[in-house]
Amino acid sequence: MSAAGTFEVAVIGAGLVGAAVAFGLRSLGSKLVLLDEGDVAHRAARANFGLIWVQGKGAGLPQYAEWTQRSAGEWPRLANELLRETGIDVALAQPGGVHVCLSAAELERRIAMLDALQTQPGFPRYSVDVLDRAQLALRLPGVGPEVAGGTYCPLDGHCNPLKLLCALHAATIRAGAHYRADHPVARIAPRSVGFVLDTPRGSISADNVVLAAGLGNAALAPMVGLGAPVGPNQGQIIVLERVPRFLALPTATIRQTEEGTVLIGDSRQERGFDDSCATDVVAAMAARALRVFPSLGGARVVRAWAGLRVMTPDGFPVYEQSAIHPGAFVATCHSGVTLAAAHAYAFAPAVAAGASPELFRPFAAARFDAAANGSPRLANGEEPRR
Ligand SMILES: Cc1cc2nc3c(=O)[nH]c(=O)nc-3n(C[C@H](O)[C@H](O)[C@H](O)COP(=O)(O)OP(=O)(O)OC[C@H]3O[C@@H](n4cnc5c(N)ncnc54)[C@H](O)[C@@H]3O)c2cc1C
């Protein structure tokens, strides 16, 4: 294969994780390359709901709650830098978010779950208000008669995730980095110094490599002594036509975009690599949305889609540097919108420094070996929807 370039850092995967890491490394300019697979790919980055969500996360791993809060806190900086550098407004709004409960029993379960979460040893507590129906209706006018209440967290928010992806790419390219679409990495060969990446368009040498290939990480990680046991988890989303603004803040499953369209999300199913929509799932999501906001019954459905989440067995991310091939890093998670700022401002600097900060220790893939040997972590580190 012909040599197609030599770089200080190669980031494999230009979805939300790879793009955020590359953005955080953009001061490398032309010494940075971002590689992607082309239009054949499964891309969670183009299929997601756009929430920046804190409440409910971290059951079984308080460090994940800390990581999530840190990212939410750094999001305004990210949105401002992207606007300044690219002119793209990613429509960040962090007015807080609501988890809506449709019955007293649902609300009880929600309160119990959040109590258990926040009373874990070492949990970084944050404020979550329990709202009864009347309090909830003040924040979300128009809720239906079945709504019993909900929980409100001031740290939650949302953005336009497609503009986010676009802006991360634009800022990175503008800084002089190379973006090579249609460069699927088939093999990573560690050398005494650095790595050689084989692609159908030639090989690429890099001193350091970041595996941010989403579902592709499962195959790539073992090539550099890492583990990324990720698999697909399907989520479906419905888009309604633009309606007059009625939602001042996002809920966990219904949000109004900056343009006025309404997104209803998002199911969660094990369906392998099937990314087709199932009408029974769409119908169930729509039915629940109508119980929350009956007025949506008058809005037309514009489209619906299904996407594949990048999911580890316990739902938590993997961040790690290879012990046997230093300079190879993996980053994989299933809340890539929420965590974009952490990837840009904490993970990327660790890569640049060649470091494995203490911060990343809880996220090492060795935890899955421990689970296999009979000391499992609490499964499903996040609430079911995200
Ligand atoms: C329905 C749904 C709703 C979601 N809602 C939210 C939400 O509200 N908030 C939130 O924070 N997160 C949400 N997510 C999750 C979020 O979208 C993902 O965490 C994020 O997109 C993962 O980014 P990624 O870069 O790891 O993977 P992807 O976006 O899948 O990107 C991986 C990229 O790697 C490339 N690639 C793969 N293999 C190779 C290879 N060998 N060589 C080169 N390139 C390769 C692919 O082409 C692809 O572009 C949602 C996801 C889904 C599916």
Side-chain angles (χ1 to χ4, degrees):
M1 275 185 187
S2 64
T6 301
F7 300 92
E8 193 167 321
V9 179
V11 178
I12 305 176
L16 273 176
V17 173
V21 173
F23 173 78
L25 291 169
R26 70 197 182 290
S27 63
L28 289 173
S30 62
K31 292 180 279 185
L32 172 66
V33 66
L34 179 58
L35 304 168
D36 202 63
E37 198 180 5
D39 265 344
V40 293
H42 291 290
R43 289 185 170 124
R46 293 171 196 234
N48 70 72
F49 195 58
L51 292 181
I52 296 155
W53 208 250
V54 172
Q55 65 168 296
K57 292 186 174 179
L61 189 58
Q63 292 93 336
Y64 182 58
E66 190 181 337
W67 184 237
T68 301
Q69 284 180 58
R70 173 182 183 160
S71 195
E74 294 246 54
W75 244 99
R77 173 183 168 197
L78 179 63
N80 285 335
E81 289 190 354
L82 290 173
L83 181 61
R84 198 174 61 240
E85 294 178 30
T86 69
I88 299 172
D89 180 352
V90 300
L92 172 68
Q94 291 176 296
V98 174
H99 181 105
V100 177
C101 297
L102 276 174
S103 67
E106 240 182 62
L107 186 57
E108 286 304 312
R109 281 198 299 276
R110 177 80 186 158
I111 294 167
M113 188 280 277
L114 288 174
D115 278 349
L117 181 75
Q118 298 242 32
T119 52
Q120 293 177 100
F123 191 87
R125 293 178 72 99
Y126 49 85
S127 119
V128 181
D129 299 338
V130 176
L131 308 177
D132 62 22
R133 187 189 151 71
Q135 291 164 327
L136 186 104
L138 287 176
R139 291 190 189 271
L140 302 176
V143 288
E146 290 180 75
V147 171
T151 55
Y152 168 80
C153 174
L155 305 179
D156 294 329
H158 57 156
C159 72
N160 181 320
L162 293 178
K163 286 186 179 166
L164 170 64
L165 185 64
C166 182
L168 290 168
H169 280 207
T172 303
I173 292 165
R174 196 168 172 267
H178 300 265
Y179 171 47
R180 297 192 180 165
D182 302 324
H183 274 64
V185 174
R187 198 172 76 98
I188 310 171
R191 297 284 186 248
S192 51
V193 177
F195 303 86
V196 176
L197 317 182
D198 289 343
T199 84
R201 292 170 186 262
S203 58
I204 287 170
S205 302
D207 299 339
N208 302 280
V209 61
V210 179
L211 276 51
L215 292 168
N217 274 344
L220 295 174
M223 298 178 193
V224 287
L226 288 164
V230 287
N233 177 272
Q234 200 211 61
Q236 298 187 37
I237 291 176
I238 306 171
V239 187
L240 305 184
E241 67 180 331
R242 292 177 196 203
V243 296
R245 184 142 306 276
F246 75 103
L247 255 183
L249 67 176
T251 80
T253 57
I254 303 171
R255 73 179 191 92
Q256 190 166 23
T257 69
E258 75 279 15
E259 288 129 358
T261 56
V262 179
L263 300 191
I264 300 171
D266 46 345
S267 56
R268 190 180 172 101
Q269 286 189 297
E270 300 298 336
R271 296 181 59 180
F273 282 85
D274 178 358
D275 62 358
S276 61
C277 269
T279 42
D280 57 333
V281 177
V282 171
M285 288 161 55
R288 184 172 169 104
L290 287 183
R291 290 166 69 197
V292 178
F293 291 113
S295 66
L296 291 179
R300 278 175 299 200
V301 173
V302 177
R303 63 195 176 109
W305 68 75
L308 301 180
R309 296 186 187 85
V310 181
M311 196 64 78
T312 57
D314 62 5
F316 294 119
V318 176
Y319 303 115
E320 200 167 2
Q321 177 172 198
S322 174
I324 53 173
H325 298 297
F329 296 80
V330 63
T332 204
C333 74
H334 90 96
S335 286
V337 182
T338 305
L339 295 175
H343 294 154
Y345 299 130
F347 185 82
V351 171
S356 305
E358 192 56 24
L359 175 72
F360 294 157
R361 190 197 290 269
F363 300 111
R367 69 184 191 265
F368 301 114
D369 304 334
N373 291 333
S375 51
R377 204 184 268 295
L378 265 181
N380 187 12
E382 303 184 10
E383 59 181 332
R385 293 200 173 273
R386 195 134 292 111

